Amino acid sequence: MSVLFSAEYEKLFENMPNDYQQMYRRAKIATKVLMQEAEPEVGPTPKEVIWSRNKTKLYRYFSEHQKKHRIPLLLIYALINKPYIMDLAKGSSLVEYLVNRGFDVYLLDWGTPGSEDRNMKLDDYILDYIPRAVRKIMRKSDAKEVSILGYCMGGTITSIFSALHPELPIRNLVFMTTPFDFEETGLYGAMLDEQYFDIDKVVQTLGNIPPEMIDMGNKLLKPMANFYGPYVSLFDRAEDEGFVRGFKLLQKWLNDGIPFPGESYRQWIRDFYQQNKLIKGELMIRGRQVSLKEITANVLNLSGEMDNIAPPHQVEALMNHISSKDKQYIKLPVGHTSIAFGSKASKITYPTIGDWLEERSS
């Protein structure tokens, strides 16, 4: 490590006031975390691949706990970042929690697209991939119905899939910090305004959108907090082993982004952020108009009070556009990521989802 943390320097701090000694210890630990320690292991819950298509894999999780609920649950995440945010670490994993409560849990991992996937559209994922995964799950579980949980953009995709497939027996839908209404998107709207952001030129130039570009856009929503905040917090709480462990896990996930298929990105920006077609009933997927009123499944819609990526008003808007008789909207005291990982997720999010599903999965 740096000469600043050599034995000679440590001796200089031995006789200094306690505050200075503490600052030195914290700086030493933080430097070690950032520069020396290996990345943590993630995705601890045992699983197996039961179906695949192109880069996409469908996982089924298993544990020693007996299955208690006859309706299987499929988890769907966004096309950016990797879905192991829902199974980040033992003791802080939505997947582990649900499996241990007796649910038969599956997850769609979209994989990492290559340049050959730049023409993949949302249509392909919604009409070709998810239906096949659902049918595979029902055969594997010997079930007549299915539940789906969509997180972030994965929830938006799930809502479109559900609206376009009323023939499929979807019993329950859970949405976590999912944007539906893109009329007021704050700084996103300013950055992506079609007067200044030429989506066609972006896709034509880049093909797949690099994860660094997506990450930069998210961080610019709160530059000081996002660029510097995590490292300030690491220094302040370097002697808290639990915090350091969580920091390492979350930073690994945040820095483990994947490319966004170009054509899907074009649709996501133009049809949603620039033209707000979904909530208006104007969205077309492979020639079919999407009407959220076709959704009749039981719905649990969760937003995060501190979420600046999918603010509560974008999430709650769904409730007036679906035909479900059993529907519930809850605003939780969490952010976009802390709804899935951390102490609040473990204490609030997981039980909220588990209890709601348990009542509707017999």
Side-chain angles (χ1 to χ4, degrees):
M1 199 183 294
S2 168
V3 68
L4 291 175
F5 304 111
S6 64
E8 290 77 10
Y9 264 82
E10 287 195 13
K11 289 180 181 179
L12 294 177
F13 283 85
E14 286 179 357
N15 297 319
M16 287 190 176
N18 290 335
D19 287 350
Y20 287 91
Q21 292 185 40
Q22 184 182 57
M23 289 175 62
Y24 178 82
R25 290 195 305 272
R26 290 176 176 175
K28 184 177 180 179
I29 295 170
T31 301
K32 184 179 179 182
V33 168
L34 295 172
M35 301 181 66
Q36 287 190 326
E37 294 185 357
E39 290 187 342
E41 296 293 326
V42 295
T45 308
K47 61 184 181 294
E48 62 179 345
V49 177
I50 64 165
W51 175 82
S52 64
R53 179 185 174 96
N54 192 12
K55 310 295 170 48
T56 300
K57 292 182 175 63
L58 176 63
Y59 293 109
R60 186 185 196 183
Y61 293 90
F62 51 91
S63 76
E64 298 176 354
H65 294 261
Q66 184 179 3
K67 295 287 187 295
K68 298 179 181 178
H69 311 294
R70 65 178 182 84
I71 299 179
L73 171 65
L74 170 62
L75 308 180
I76 298 179
Y77 187 57
L79 297 179
I80 55 174
N81 288 107
K82 294 183 179 177
Y84 64 73
I85 183 63
M86 293 189 276
D87 186 33
L88 204 51
K90 195 170 182 61
S92 191
S93 161
L94 176 60
V95 168
E96 177 192 46
Y97 176 87
L98 292 171
V99 168
N100 288 347
R101 281 194 64 162
F103 290 97
D104 194 6
V105 180
Y106 298 78
L107 180 141
L108 262 181
D109 184 341
W110 301 117
T112 302
S115 59
E116 67 276 12
D117 300 307
R118 62 188 179 278
N119 293 321
M120 288 283 292
K121 301 181 69 173
L122 296 179
D123 309 43
D124 302 313
Y125 295 107
I126 293 166
L127 296 179
D128 298 333
Y129 284 65
I130 301 178
R132 286 173 170 80
V134 166
R135 292 186 176 98
K136 178 67 177 181
I137 289 168
M138 293 175 66
R139 290 195 300 270
K140 192 74 174 179
S141 294
D142 192 23
K144 295 182 179 180
E145 295 176 289
V146 67
S147 298
I148 305 177
L149 183 152
Y151 180 14
C152 184
M153 179 192 183
T156 314
I157 292 173
T158 296
S159 71
I160 299 168
F161 160 76
S162 302
L164 290 177
H165 292 86
E167 80 283 359
L168 291 177
I170 303 171
R171 167 74 77 89
N172 305 304
L173 292 171
V174 179
F175 299 108
M176 285 173 46
T177 59
T178 295
F180 297 103
D181 187 349
F182 295 78
E183 185 66 32
E184 297 179 11
T185 56
L187 288 177
Y188 275 139
M191 288 190 286
L192 300 173
D193 190 308
E194 54 190 329
Q195 296 183 70
Y196 315 108
F197 190 80
D198 188 335
I199 183 60
D200 293 326
K201 186 171 291 186
V202 170
V203 174
Q204 180 182 354
T205 303
L206 298 176
N208 290 338
I209 309 305
E212 294 82 5
M213 179 174 164
I214 305 295
D215 183 56
M216 177 64 73
N218 290 336
K219 286 181 176 177
L220 286 175
L221 295 179
K222 286 190 174 182
M224 293 299 291
N226 291 327
F227 283 106
Y228 304 109
Y231 304 103
V232 172
S233 297
L234 174 62
F235 178 83
D236 287 342
R237 303 180 63 181
E239 295 177 289
D240 181 341
E241 292 184 3
F243 173 83
V244 171
R245 176 173 174 269
F247 172 89
K248 291 170 63 178
L249 287 163
L250 195 55
Q251 289 303 308
K252 174 181 172 63
W253 176 74
L254 289 169
N255 294 320
D256 199 13
I258 58 176
F260 199 138
E263 287 304 318
S264 291
Y265 183 74
R266 191 198 307 267
Q267 288 176 284
W268 183 241
I269 300 303
R270 173 169 289 154
D271 290 353
F272 296 84
Y273 279 94
Q274 293 181 344
Q275 299 181 12
N276 197 22
K277 289 184 177 181
L278 175 61
I279 209 74
K280 293 178 179 178
E282 300 172 358
L283 181 66
M284 302 295 291
I285 296 293
R286 203 176 285 170
R288 298 172 60 185
Q289 188 170 3
V290 179
S291 173
L292 292 173
K293 290 188 181 299
E294 295 296 325
I295 295 177
T296 59
N298 306 323
V299 169
L300 174 63
N301 191 15
L302 304 176
S303 70
E305 188 175 340
M306 286 85 76
D307 190 350
N308 59 359
I309 292 178
H313 70 270
Q314 281 192 264
V315 179
E316 186 179 10
L318 173 74
M319 307 309 285
N320 293 326
H321 293 270
I322 57 179
S323 300
S324 307
K325 294 180 180 179
D326 181 349
K327 55 184 179 179
Q328 186 175 8
Y329 167 73
I330 303 176
K331 182 164 63 175
L332 302 177
V334 297
H336 193 75
T337 302
S338 59
I339 196 171
F341 171 73
S343 59
K344 287 185 178 180
S346 299
K347 295 175 183 176
I348 302 173
T349 308
Y350 302 172
T352 299
I353 294 172
D355 293 346
W356 187 88
L357 278 173
E358 192 167 71
E359 293 179 7
R360 297 162 177 81
S361 298
S362 59

